[in-house]
PDB file of all heavy atoms in Angstrom:
ATOM      1  N   MET A   1       0.811  -1.226   0.000  1.00  0.00           N
ATOM      2  CA  MET A   1       0.000   0.000   0.000  1.00  0.00           C
ATOM      3  C   MET A   1       0.849   1.285   0.000  1.00  0.00           C
ATOM      4  O   MET A   1       0.558   2.181  -0.798  1.00  0.00           O
ATOM      5  CB  MET A   1      -0.952   0.004   1.194  1.00  0.00           C
ATOM      6  CG  MET A   1      -1.870   1.207   1.201  1.00  0.00           C
ATOM      7  SD  MET A   1      -2.840   1.303   2.719  1.00  0.00           S
ATOM      8  CE  MET A   1      -1.591   1.675   3.939  1.00  0.00           C
ATOM      9  N   GLY A  41      -4.727  16.958  -7.624  1.00  0.00           N
ATOM     10  CA  GLY A  41      -5.662  16.221  -6.767  1.00  0.00           C
ATOM     11  C   GLY A  41      -5.094  15.890  -5.403  1.00  0.00           C
ATOM     12  O   GLY A  41      -5.712  15.167  -4.621  1.00  0.00           O
ATOM     13  N   GLY A  55      -9.337   9.554  -5.862  1.00  0.00           N
ATOM     14  CA  GLY A  55     -10.181   8.456  -5.387  1.00  0.00           C
ATOM     15  C   GLY A  55      -9.519   7.566  -4.352  1.00  0.00           C
ATOM     16  O   GLY A  55      -9.807   6.370  -4.281  1.00  0.00           O
ATOM     17  N   GLN A  79      -4.255  21.234   3.234  1.00  0.00           N
ATOM     18  CA  GLN A  79      -4.791  19.954   2.741  1.00  0.00           C
ATOM     19  C   GLN A  79      -6.031  19.542   3.556  1.00  0.00           C
ATOM     20  O   GLN A  79      -7.033  19.099   2.991  1.00  0.00           O
ATOM     21  CB  GLN A  79      -3.680  18.914   2.937  1.00  0.00           C
ATOM     22  CG  GLN A  79      -3.697  17.717   2.068  1.00  0.00           C
ATOM     23  CD  GLN A  79      -2.407  16.906   2.269  1.00  0.00           C
ATOM     24  OE1 GLN A  79      -1.889  16.776   3.389  1.00  0.00           O
ATOM     25  NE2 GLN A  79      -1.884  16.363   1.185  1.00  0.00           N
ATOM     26  N   LEU A 105     -12.183  22.009  -7.250  1.00  0.00           N
ATOM     27  CA  LEU A 105     -11.204  21.729  -6.183  1.00  0.00           C
ATOM     28  C   LEU A 105     -10.120  20.747  -6.618  1.00  0.00           C
ATOM     29  O   LEU A 105      -9.119  20.573  -5.920  1.00  0.00           O
ATOM     30  CB  LEU A 105     -11.899  21.204  -4.930  1.00  0.00           C
ATOM     31  CG  LEU A 105     -12.867  22.175  -4.250  1.00  0.00           C
ATOM     32  CD1 LEU A 105     -13.296  21.651  -2.893  1.00  0.00           C
ATOM     33  CD2 LEU A 105     -12.238  23.553  -4.094  1.00  0.00           C
ATOM     34  N   LEU A 155     -12.885  29.586  -2.691  1.00  0.00           N
ATOM     35  CA  LEU A 155     -14.230  29.222  -2.243  1.00  0.00           C
ATOM     36  C   LEU A 155     -14.226  29.037  -0.732  1.00  0.00           C
ATOM     37  O   LEU A 155     -13.291  28.466  -0.180  1.00  0.00           O
ATOM     38  CB  LEU A 155     -14.663  27.891  -2.870  1.00  0.00           C
ATOM     39  CG  LEU A 155     -14.767  27.839  -4.390  1.00  0.00           C
ATOM     40  CD1 LEU A 155     -15.065  26.406  -4.845  1.00  0.00           C
ATOM     41  CD2 LEU A 155     -15.883  28.778  -4.875  1.00  0.00           C
ATOM     42  N   PHE A 159     -20.874  27.690   7.154  1.00  0.00           N
ATOM     43  CA  PHE A 159     -21.994  27.069   7.860  1.00  0.00           C
ATOM     44  C   PHE A 159     -22.758  28.132   8.643  1.00  0.00           C
ATOM     45  O   PHE A 159     -22.160  29.038   9.212  1.00  0.00           O
ATOM     46  CB  PHE A 159     -21.484  25.987   8.820  1.00  0.00           C
ATOM     47  CG  PHE A 159     -20.932  24.779   8.105  1.00  0.00           C
ATOM     48  CD1 PHE A 159     -19.684  24.839   7.498  1.00  0.00           C
ATOM     49  CD2 PHE A 159     -21.657  23.608   8.010  1.00  0.00           C
ATOM     50  CE1 PHE A 159     -19.172  23.737   6.811  1.00  0.00           C
ATOM     51  CE2 PHE A 159     -21.153  22.509   7.330  1.00  0.00           C
ATOM     52  CZ  PHE A 159     -19.913  22.571   6.731  1.00  0.00           C
ATOM     53  N   ALA A 195      -7.360  33.289   8.621  1.00  0.00           N
ATOM     54  CA  ALA A 195      -7.934  34.630   8.461  1.00  0.00           C
ATOM     55  C   ALA A 195      -9.310  34.689   9.105  1.00  0.00           C
ATOM     56  O   ALA A 195      -9.976  33.665   9.282  1.00  0.00           O
ATOM     57  CB  ALA A 195      -8.045  34.984   6.978  1.00  0.00           C
ATOM     58  N   GLY A 214     -31.258  23.253   5.108  1.00  0.00           N
ATOM     59  CA  GLY A 214     -32.258  22.619   5.973  1.00  0.00           C
ATOM     60  C   GLY A 214     -31.789  21.310   6.581  1.00  0.00           C
ATOM     61  O   GLY A 214     -32.571  20.404   6.807  1.00  0.00           O
ATOM     62  N   HIS A 215     -30.480  21.200   6.862  1.00  0.00           N
ATOM     63  CA  HIS A 215     -29.934  20.000   7.499  1.00  0.00           C
ATOM     64  C   HIS A 215     -29.845  20.221   9.008  1.00  0.00           C
ATOM     65  O   HIS A 215     -29.697  21.348   9.463  1.00  0.00           O
ATOM     66  CB  HIS A 215     -28.533  19.707   6.973  1.00  0.00           C
ATOM     67  CG  HIS A 215     -28.468  19.501   5.483  1.00  0.00           C
ATOM     68  ND1 HIS A 215     -28.216  20.520   4.603  1.00  0.00           N
ATOM     69  CD2 HIS A 215     -28.638  18.394   4.737  1.00  0.00           C
ATOM     70  CE1 HIS A 215     -28.215  20.040   3.369  1.00  0.00           C
ATOM     71  NE2 HIS A 215     -28.481  18.756   3.416  1.00  0.00           N
ATOM     72  N   THR A 222     -20.842  17.455  12.362  1.00  0.00           N
ATOM     73  CA  THR A 222     -20.117  16.200  12.599  1.00  0.00           C
ATOM     74  C   THR A 222     -19.645  15.583  11.286  1.00  0.00           C
ATOM     75  O   THR A 222     -18.568  14.990  11.218  1.00  0.00           O
ATOM     76  CB  THR A 222     -20.974  15.194  13.387  1.00  0.00           C
ATOM     77  OG1 THR A 222     -21.580  15.886  14.461  1.00  0.00           O
ATOM     78  CG2 THR A 222     -20.146  14.067  13.938  1.00  0.00           C
ATOM     79  N   ALA A 224     -18.694  17.183   8.493  1.00  0.00           N
ATOM     80  CA  ALA A 224     -17.481  17.878   8.040  1.00  0.00           C
ATOM     81  C   ALA A 224     -16.321  17.628   9.003  1.00  0.00           C
ATOM     82  O   ALA A 224     -15.198  17.336   8.582  1.00  0.00           O
ATOM     83  CB  ALA A 224     -17.755  19.376   7.915  1.00  0.00           C
ATOM     84  N   SER A 231      -8.025  13.920   9.230  1.00  0.00           N
ATOM     85  CA  SER A 231      -6.902  14.574   8.569  1.00  0.00           C
ATOM     86  C   SER A 231      -5.920  15.163   9.591  1.00  0.00           C
ATOM     87  O   SER A 231      -4.700  15.013   9.454  1.00  0.00           O
ATOM     88  CB  SER A 231      -7.451  15.666   7.644  1.00  0.00           C
ATOM     89  OG  SER A 231      -6.415  16.298   6.959  1.00  0.00           O
ATOM     90  N   VAL A 232      -6.458  15.799  10.626  1.00  0.00           N
ATOM     91  CA  VAL A 232      -5.594  16.344  11.674  1.00  0.00           C
ATOM     92  C   VAL A 232      -4.861  15.205  12.393  1.00  0.00           C
ATOM     93  O   VAL A 232      -3.668  15.295  12.693  1.00  0.00           O
ATOM     94  CB  VAL A 232      -6.419  17.179  12.676  1.00  0.00           C
ATOM     95  CG1 VAL A 232      -5.618  17.476  13.941  1.00  0.00           C
ATOM     96  CG2 VAL A 232      -6.872  18.477  12.022  1.00  0.00           C
ATOM     97  N   ARG A 254      25.357  12.947  18.099  1.00  0.00           N
ATOM     98  CA  ARG A 254      26.024  13.885  19.020  1.00  0.00           C
ATOM     99  C   ARG A 254      26.533  13.157  20.268  1.00  0.00           C
ATOM    100  O   ARG A 254      25.812  12.351  20.860  1.00  0.00           O
ATOM    101  CB  ARG A 254      25.041  14.989  19.431  1.00  0.00           C
ATOM    102  CG  ARG A 254      25.645  15.963  20.441  1.00  0.00           C
ATOM    103  CD  ARG A 254      24.857  17.243  20.541  1.00  0.00           C
ATOM    104  NE  ARG A 254      25.297  18.080  21.641  1.00  0.00           N
ATOM    105  CZ  ARG A 254      26.343  18.898  21.579  1.00  0.00           C
ATOM    106  NH1 ARG A 254      27.074  18.989  20.479  1.00  0.00           N
ATOM    107  NH2 ARG A 254      26.676  19.639  22.622  1.00  0.00           N
ATOM    108  N   LEU A 261      24.508  10.503  22.652  1.00  0.00           N
ATOM    109  CA  LEU A 261      23.376  10.770  23.552  1.00  0.00           C
ATOM    110  C   LEU A 261      22.507   9.528  23.743  1.00  0.00           C
ATOM    111  O   LEU A 261      21.923   9.325  24.806  1.00  0.00           O
ATOM    112  CB  LEU A 261      22.524  11.927  22.999  1.00  0.00           C
ATOM    113  CG  LEU A 261      23.180  13.313  22.985  1.00  0.00           C
ATOM    114  CD1 LEU A 261      22.245  14.323  22.332  1.00  0.00           C
ATOM    115  CD2 LEU A 261      23.562  13.759  24.393  1.00  0.00           C
ATOM    116  N   ARG A 290      -9.956   2.473   8.940  1.00  0.00           N
ATOM    117  CA  ARG A 290     -10.654   1.206   8.630  1.00  0.00           C
ATOM    118  C   ARG A 290     -12.153   1.369   8.838  1.00  0.00           C
ATOM    119  O   ARG A 290     -12.949   0.889   8.043  1.00  0.00           O
ATOM    120  CB  ARG A 290     -10.120   0.070   9.510  1.00  0.00           C
ATOM    121  CG  ARG A 290      -9.246  -0.900   8.748  1.00  0.00           C
ATOM    122  CD  ARG A 290      -9.018  -2.209   9.490  1.00  0.00           C
ATOM    123  NE  ARG A 290      -8.673  -2.043  10.891  1.00  0.00           N
ATOM    124  CZ  ARG A 290      -7.437  -1.813  11.338  1.00  0.00           C
ATOM    125  NH1 ARG A 290      -6.420  -1.717  10.504  1.00  0.00           N
ATOM    126  NH2 ARG A 290      -7.204  -1.688  12.628  1.00  0.00           N
ATOM    127  N   ARG A 312      -2.611  14.833  21.227  1.00  0.00           N
ATOM    128  CA  ARG A 312      -1.943  14.866  22.535  1.00  0.00           C
ATOM    129  C   ARG A 312      -0.561  14.257  22.451  1.00  0.00           C
ATOM    130  O   ARG A 312       0.407  14.790  23.001  1.00  0.00           O
ATOM    131  CB  ARG A 312      -2.765  14.089  23.564  1.00  0.00           C
ATOM    132  CG  ARG A 312      -4.026  14.804  23.964  1.00  0.00           C
ATOM    133  CD  ARG A 312      -4.707  14.000  25.020  1.00  0.00           C
ATOM    134  NE  ARG A 312      -4.437  14.515  26.342  1.00  0.00           N
ATOM    135  CZ  ARG A 312      -4.635  13.828  27.457  1.00  0.00           C
ATOM    136  NH1 ARG A 312      -5.040  12.580  27.408  1.00  0.00           N
ATOM    137  NH2 ARG A 312      -4.419  14.378  28.627  1.00  0.00           N
ATOM    138  N   ALA A 317       5.168  14.660  22.586  1.00  0.00           N
ATOM    139  CA  ALA A 317       6.389  14.135  21.969  1.00  0.00           C
ATOM    140  C   ALA A 317       7.221  15.258  21.356  1.00  0.00           C
ATOM    141  O   ALA A 317       8.454  15.185  21.357  1.00  0.00           O
ATOM    142  CB  ALA A 317       6.033  13.089  20.911  1.00  0.00           C
ATOM    143  N   ALA A 326      17.743  19.934  22.210  1.00  0.00           N
ATOM    144  CA  ALA A 326      18.182  21.104  22.987  1.00  0.00           C
ATOM    145  C   ALA A 326      18.461  22.294  22.077  1.00  0.00           C
ATOM    146  O   ALA A 326      17.633  22.601  21.228  1.00  0.00           O
ATOM    147  CB  ALA A 326      19.372  20.727  23.869  1.00  0.00           C
ATOM    148  N   ALA A 330      16.412  24.957  18.964  1.00  0.00           N
ATOM    149  CA  ALA A 330      15.873  26.146  19.629  1.00  0.00           C
ATOM    150  C   ALA A 330      15.784  27.359  18.714  1.00  0.00           C
ATOM    151  O   ALA A 330      16.024  28.479  19.139  1.00  0.00           O
ATOM    152  CB  ALA A 330      16.719  26.462  20.867  1.00  0.00           C
ATOM    153  N   ILE A 348      -6.314  22.124  19.925  1.00  0.00           N
ATOM    154  CA  ILE A 348      -7.380  23.124  20.046  1.00  0.00           C
ATOM    155  C   ILE A 348      -8.436  22.968  18.963  1.00  0.00           C
ATOM    156  O   ILE A 348      -9.622  23.156  19.216  1.00  0.00           O
ATOM    157  CB  ILE A 348      -6.757  24.552  19.964  1.00  0.00           C
ATOM    158  CG1 ILE A 348      -5.873  24.791  21.187  1.00  0.00           C
ATOM    159  CG2 ILE A 348      -7.847  25.619  19.869  1.00  0.00           C
ATOM    160  CD1 ILE A 348      -5.060  26.070  21.120  1.00  0.00           C
ATOM    161  N   GLU A 350     -10.753  21.389  15.655  1.00  0.00           N
ATOM    162  CA  GLU A 350     -11.583  20.228  15.270  1.00  0.00           C
ATOM    163  C   GLU A 350     -12.117  19.488  16.491  1.00  0.00           C
ATOM    164  O   GLU A 350     -12.241  18.268  16.476  1.00  0.00           O
ATOM    165  CB  GLU A 350     -10.783  19.227  14.400  1.00  0.00           C
ATOM    166  CG  GLU A 350      -9.977  19.835  13.291  1.00  0.00           C
ATOM    167  CD  GLU A 350     -10.778  20.159  12.054  1.00  0.00           C
ATOM    168  OE1 GLU A 350     -11.947  19.755  11.971  1.00  0.00           O
ATOM    169  OE2 GLU A 350     -10.236  20.862  11.192  1.00  0.00           O
TER     170      GLU A 350
END
Side-chain angles (χ1 to χ4, degrees):
Chain A
M1 183 187 68
Q79 205 172 38
L105 296 191
L155 298 174
F159 291 75
H215 301 92
T222 314
S231 182
V232 166
R254 177 163 171 82
L261 293 176
R290 253 195 314 276
R312 288 183 99 197
I348 294 172
E350 314 279 351

